[in-house]
Amino acid sequence: MPDTFKVAVLVSGGGTNLAALIRSQQEQQLGPARLCAVIASRPSALALDKARAAGLPTAVVCRRDYISQSDYDAALLQKLAVYQPDLLVLAGFLTRLGPDFIHHYERRIINIHPSLLPSFGGPGFYGLRPHRGVLDYGCKITGATVHFVDADYDHGPILLQKPVTVQPEDTPELLQARVMREAEWLILPACVRAIAENRVVWKDGQANIIEQRVQPGL
Ligand code: GRF
């Protein structure tokens, strides 16, 4: 395994998960993982400010600048090729990725979602909507999920989940903030570290994190 493990982060919004990764790296909590680039789906993404403040290279690739999904995928692949990332992290990235793109980075793309998948995930469940769904349904527990990305929204092998208790006085906004604080900002860096340390074991299409590092090639 190389000494460093390069991680590109794809963002669309505020970038609090990106900030959690930056903080973890600064606190030497990411193991051999190093953030190598931040790619945004729109120039106004606040996450770009956080990336620049941390001295990370940034780029913007907008879906609307490309006619077809495959043109967009090709442009994104080309942009990423400059950084040669070992892992892509979708941290609030709202643009659909096509099958060719996903195939190119098979088992090397993870996404963070603010619910316990498969509940409250899929098309339309972004922003406050998963949290509103949890409250409307009367769930007593929610949480966050990190999963490997496949061709469907919020689908693909689950890597790590963390539960968060729903409080009677919760609003979607309060719940969103607590899920981020108590779950998302913890499990995303933990997953990046586990992958970089080669501590993910695949069996029957499922992914599990183990405590001990797996030797390269096993
Ligand atoms: C997070 O809730 C994440 O789980 C979801 O989108 C949101 C992004 O927030 N996929 P931020 O941009 O990291 O603040």
mmCIF file of all heavy atoms in Angstrom, residues 11-18 47 90-94 111-114 127 131 176 180 184-185, ligand 1:
data_model
loop_
_atom_site.group_PDB
_atom_site.id
_atom_site.type_symbol
_atom_site.label_atom_id
_atom_site.label_comp_id
_atom_site.label_asym_id
_atom_site.label_seq_id
_atom_site.Cartn_x
_atom_site.Cartn_y
_atom_site.Cartn_z
ATOM 1 N N VAL A 11 -18.741 17.855 -3.544
ATOM 2 C CA VAL A 11 -19.669 18.614 -2.694
ATOM 3 C C VAL A 11 -20.647 19.431 -3.546
ATOM 4 O O VAL A 11 -20.368 19.725 -4.724
ATOM 5 C CB VAL A 11 -18.887 19.590 -1.779
ATOM 6 C CG1 VAL A 11 -18.004 18.842 -0.790
ATOM 7 C CG2 VAL A 11 -18.032 20.543 -2.621
ATOM 8 N N SER A 12 -21.750 19.816 -2.903
ATOM 9 C CA SER A 12 -22.697 20.722 -3.553
ATOM 10 C C SER A 12 -23.137 21.849 -2.630
ATOM 11 O O SER A 12 -23.684 22.849 -3.081
ATOM 12 C CB SER A 12 -23.966 19.971 -3.998
ATOM 13 O OG SER A 12 -23.680 18.991 -4.953
ATOM 14 N N GLY A 13 -22.955 21.664 -1.323
ATOM 15 C CA GLY A 13 -23.591 22.607 -0.392
ATOM 16 C C GLY A 13 -22.663 23.201 0.629
ATOM 17 O O GLY A 13 -21.568 23.663 0.306
ATOM 18 N N GLY A 14 -23.105 23.153 1.883
ATOM 19 C CA GLY A 14 -22.427 23.861 2.972
ATOM 20 C C GLY A 14 -21.059 23.315 3.318
ATOM 21 O O GLY A 14 -20.190 24.050 3.790
ATOM 22 N N GLY A 15 -20.880 22.035 3.166
ATOM 23 C CA GLY A 15 -19.554 21.459 3.388
ATOM 24 C C GLY A 15 -19.207 21.178 4.839
ATOM 25 O O GLY A 15 -18.031 21.138 5.189
ATOM 26 N N THR A 16 -20.214 20.918 5.685
ATOM 27 C CA THR A 16 -19.858 20.611 7.076
ATOM 28 C C THR A 16 -19.194 19.240 7.171
ATOM 29 O O THR A 16 -18.340 19.025 8.034
ATOM 30 C CB THR A 16 -21.081 20.670 8.011
ATOM 31 O OG1 THR A 16 -22.026 19.674 7.625
ATOM 32 C CG2 THR A 16 -21.715 22.048 8.002
ATOM 33 N N ASN A 17 -19.580 18.316 6.313
ATOM 34 C CA ASN A 17 -18.891 17.012 6.317
ATOM 35 C C ASN A 17 -17.470 17.140 5.786
ATOM 36 O O ASN A 17 -16.555 16.491 6.294
ATOM 37 C CB ASN A 17 -19.689 15.977 5.512
ATOM 38 C CG ASN A 17 -20.842 15.415 6.315
ATOM 39 O OD1 ASN A 17 -20.632 14.600 7.210
ATOM 40 N ND2 ASN A 17 -22.051 15.878 6.032
ATOM 41 N N LEU A 18 -17.291 17.981 4.782
ATOM 42 C CA LEU A 18 -15.938 18.277 4.318
ATOM 43 C C LEU A 18 -15.118 18.862 5.472
ATOM 44 O O LEU A 18 -13.963 18.469 5.690
ATOM 45 C CB LEU A 18 -15.979 19.267 3.146
ATOM 46 C CG LEU A 18 -14.624 19.842 2.737
ATOM 47 C CD1 LEU A 18 -13.723 18.763 2.146
ATOM 48 C CD2 LEU A 18 -14.813 20.987 1.738
ATOM 49 N N ALA A 47 -19.025 25.016 0.506
ATOM 50 C CA ALA A 47 -17.944 24.064 0.790
ATOM 51 C C ALA A 47 -16.637 24.496 0.119
ATOM 52 O O ALA A 47 -15.549 24.203 0.634
ATOM 53 C CB ALA A 47 -18.348 22.675 0.298
ATOM 54 N N LEU A 90 -18.527 11.358 -1.566
ATOM 55 C CA LEU A 90 -19.649 12.248 -1.876
ATOM 56 C C LEU A 90 -20.155 12.795 -0.542
ATOM 57 O O LEU A 90 -20.739 12.070 0.264
ATOM 58 C CB LEU A 90 -20.768 11.496 -2.601
ATOM 59 C CG LEU A 90 -20.368 10.636 -3.819
ATOM 60 C CD1 LEU A 90 -21.625 10.126 -4.535
ATOM 61 C CD2 LEU A 90 -19.478 11.413 -4.778
ATOM 62 N N ALA A 91 -19.880 14.079 -0.310
ATOM 63 C CA ALA A 91 -20.246 14.687 0.970
ATOM 64 C C ALA A 91 -21.273 15.780 0.684
ATOM 65 O O ALA A 91 -20.929 16.954 0.576
ATOM 66 C CB ALA A 91 -19.006 15.245 1.658
ATOM 67 N N GLY A 92 -22.520 15.353 0.512
ATOM 68 C CA GLY A 92 -23.560 16.309 0.163
ATOM 69 C C GLY A 92 -23.488 16.669 -1.318
ATOM 70 O O GLY A 92 -23.736 17.813 -1.703
ATOM 71 N N PHE A 93 -23.149 15.689 -2.146
ATOM 72 C CA PHE A 93 -23.025 15.927 -3.589
ATOM 73 C C PHE A 93 -24.347 15.554 -4.246
ATOM 74 O O PHE A 93 -24.801 14.415 -4.143
ATOM 75 C CB PHE A 93 -21.887 15.070 -4.147
ATOM 76 C CG PHE A 93 -21.568 15.325 -5.592
ATOM 77 C CD1 PHE A 93 -21.014 16.531 -5.986
ATOM 78 C CD2 PHE A 93 -21.801 14.346 -6.545
ATOM 79 C CE1 PHE A 93 -20.707 16.763 -7.323
ATOM 80 C CE2 PHE A 93 -21.495 14.568 -7.882
ATOM 81 C CZ PHE A 93 -20.946 15.788 -8.264
ATOM 82 N N LEU A 94 -24.986 16.529 -4.914
ATOM 83 C CA LEU A 94 -26.366 16.328 -5.349
ATOM 84 C C LEU A 94 -26.526 16.025 -6.832
ATOM 85 O O LEU A 94 -27.644 15.929 -7.319
ATOM 86 C CB LEU A 94 -27.200 17.577 -4.994
ATOM 87 C CG LEU A 94 -27.374 17.813 -3.489
ATOM 88 C CD1 LEU A 94 -28.114 19.136 -3.238
ATOM 89 C CD2 LEU A 94 -28.117 16.652 -2.842
ATOM 90 N N ASN A 111 -20.658 7.474 -0.014
ATOM 91 C CA ASN A 111 -21.606 8.581 0.152
ATOM 92 C C ASN A 111 -22.052 8.600 1.600
ATOM 93 O O ASN A 111 -22.165 7.565 2.238
ATOM 94 C CB ASN A 111 -22.816 8.340 -0.764
ATOM 95 C CG ASN A 111 -23.878 9.413 -0.623
ATOM 96 O OD1 ASN A 111 -23.567 10.611 -0.670
ATOM 97 N ND2 ASN A 111 -25.133 9.023 -0.456
ATOM 98 N N ILE A 112 -22.315 9.805 2.107
ATOM 99 C CA ILE A 112 -22.904 9.933 3.443
ATOM 100 C C ILE A 112 -24.345 10.364 3.291
ATOM 101 O O ILE A 112 -24.655 11.282 2.524
ATOM 102 C CB ILE A 112 -22.095 10.914 4.335
ATOM 103 C CG1 ILE A 112 -22.784 11.162 5.680
ATOM 104 C CG2 ILE A 112 -21.862 12.261 3.669
ATOM 105 C CD1 ILE A 112 -22.174 10.408 6.802
ATOM 106 N N HIS A 113 -25.236 9.675 4.012
ATOM 107 C CA HIS A 113 -26.661 9.998 3.937
ATOM 108 C C HIS A 113 -27.216 10.170 5.357
ATOM 109 O O HIS A 113 -26.912 9.358 6.235
ATOM 110 C CB HIS A 113 -27.424 8.893 3.194
ATOM 111 C CG HIS A 113 -28.861 9.234 3.016
ATOM 112 N ND1 HIS A 113 -29.299 10.156 2.076
ATOM 113 C CD2 HIS A 113 -29.961 8.842 3.694
ATOM 114 C CE1 HIS A 113 -30.599 10.284 2.175
ATOM 115 N NE2 HIS A 113 -31.038 9.503 3.147
ATOM 116 N N PRO A 114 -28.073 11.182 5.548
ATOM 117 C CA PRO A 114 -28.521 11.477 6.913
ATOM 118 C C PRO A 114 -29.769 10.707 7.350
ATOM 119 O O PRO A 114 -30.746 11.305 7.830
ATOM 120 C CB PRO A 114 -28.783 12.992 6.860
ATOM 121 C CG PRO A 114 -29.256 13.218 5.476
ATOM 122 C CD PRO A 114 -28.519 12.221 4.606
ATOM 123 N N GLY A 127 -31.423 17.268 1.821
ATOM 124 C CA GLY A 127 -31.691 18.424 2.675
ATOM 125 C C GLY A 127 -32.452 17.998 3.926
ATOM 126 O O GLY A 127 -32.109 17.031 4.597
ATOM 127 N N HIS A 131 -35.220 14.053 7.361
ATOM 128 C CA HIS A 131 -35.541 14.357 8.764
ATOM 129 C C HIS A 131 -37.046 14.616 8.925
ATOM 130 O O HIS A 131 -37.657 14.180 9.890
ATOM 131 C CB HIS A 131 -34.714 15.544 9.229
ATOM 132 C CG HIS A 131 -33.245 15.353 8.979
ATOM 133 N ND1 HIS A 131 -32.503 14.400 9.624
ATOM 134 C CD2 HIS A 131 -32.410 15.935 8.080
ATOM 135 C CE1 HIS A 131 -31.261 14.424 9.178
ATOM 136 N NE2 HIS A 131 -31.180 15.354 8.230
ATOM 137 N N GLN A 176 -31.739 17.533 11.987
ATOM 138 C CA GLN A 176 -30.644 17.577 11.011
ATOM 139 C C GLN A 176 -29.326 17.944 11.694
ATOM 140 O O GLN A 176 -28.293 17.305 11.464
ATOM 141 C CB GLN A 176 -30.950 18.605 9.929
ATOM 142 C CG GLN A 176 -29.855 18.740 8.887
ATOM 143 C CD GLN A 176 -30.116 19.878 7.904
ATOM 144 O OE1 GLN A 176 -30.406 21.003 8.308
ATOM 145 N NE2 GLN A 176 -30.041 19.584 6.629
ATOM 146 N N MET A 180 -26.087 15.415 12.174
ATOM 147 C CA MET A 180 -24.745 15.783 11.694
ATOM 148 C C MET A 180 -23.719 15.674 12.819
ATOM 149 O O MET A 180 -22.688 15.017 12.672
ATOM 150 C CB MET A 180 -24.752 17.213 11.151
ATOM 151 C CG MET A 180 -25.367 17.342 9.781
ATOM 152 S SD MET A 180 -25.318 19.061 9.256
ATOM 153 C CE MET A 180 -25.510 18.857 7.484
ATOM 154 N N GLU A 184 -22.976 12.001 11.495
ATOM 155 C CA GLU A 184 -22.292 12.179 10.201
ATOM 156 C C GLU A 184 -20.825 12.560 10.349
ATOM 157 O O GLU A 184 -19.955 11.965 9.695
ATOM 158 C CB GLU A 184 -22.996 13.264 9.380
ATOM 159 C CG GLU A 184 -24.401 12.894 8.962
ATOM 160 C CD GLU A 184 -24.994 13.910 8.008
ATOM 161 O OE1 GLU A 184 -24.320 14.305 7.054
ATOM 162 O OE2 GLU A 184 -26.154 14.319 8.233
ATOM 163 N N TRP A 185 -20.570 13.559 11.210
ATOM 164 C CA TRP A 185 -19.196 14.085 11.284
ATOM 165 C C TRP A 185 -18.249 13.099 11.957
ATOM 166 O O TRP A 185 -17.034 13.285 11.925
ATOM 167 C CB TRP A 185 -19.171 15.420 12.032
ATOM 168 C CG TRP A 185 -20.030 16.483 11.403
ATOM 169 C CD1 TRP A 185 -20.511 16.500 10.122
ATOM 170 C CD2 TRP A 185 -20.519 17.667 12.035
ATOM 171 N NE1 TRP A 185 -21.263 17.627 9.928
ATOM 172 C CE2 TRP A 185 -21.294 18.364 11.078
ATOM 173 C CE3 TRP A 185 -20.375 18.218 13.309
ATOM 174 C CZ2 TRP A 185 -21.924 19.577 11.365
ATOM 175 C CZ3 TRP A 185 -21.002 19.425 13.600
ATOM 176 C CH2 TRP A 185 -21.763 20.090 12.631
HETATM 177 C C1 GRF B 1 -25.490 15.941 4.765
HETATM 178 O O1 GRF B 1 -26.617 15.814 5.585
HETATM 179 C C2 GRF B 1 -25.194 14.652 4.065
HETATM 180 O O2 GRF B 1 -25.505 13.527 4.828
HETATM 181 C C3 GRF B 1 -26.107 14.720 2.872
HETATM 182 O O3 GRF B 1 -26.083 16.079 2.471
HETATM 183 C C4 GRF B 1 -25.762 16.886 3.599
HETATM 184 C C5 GRF B 1 -24.560 17.687 3.228
HETATM 185 O O4 GRF B 1 -24.219 18.619 4.227
HETATM 186 N N1 GRF B 1 -25.723 13.813 1.822
HETATM 187 P P1 GRF B 1 -22.826 19.349 4.203
HETATM 188 O O5 GRF B 1 -22.693 20.010 2.840
HETATM 189 O O6 GRF B 1 -21.754 18.341 4.454
HETATM 190 O O7 GRF B 1 -22.924 20.366 5.296
#
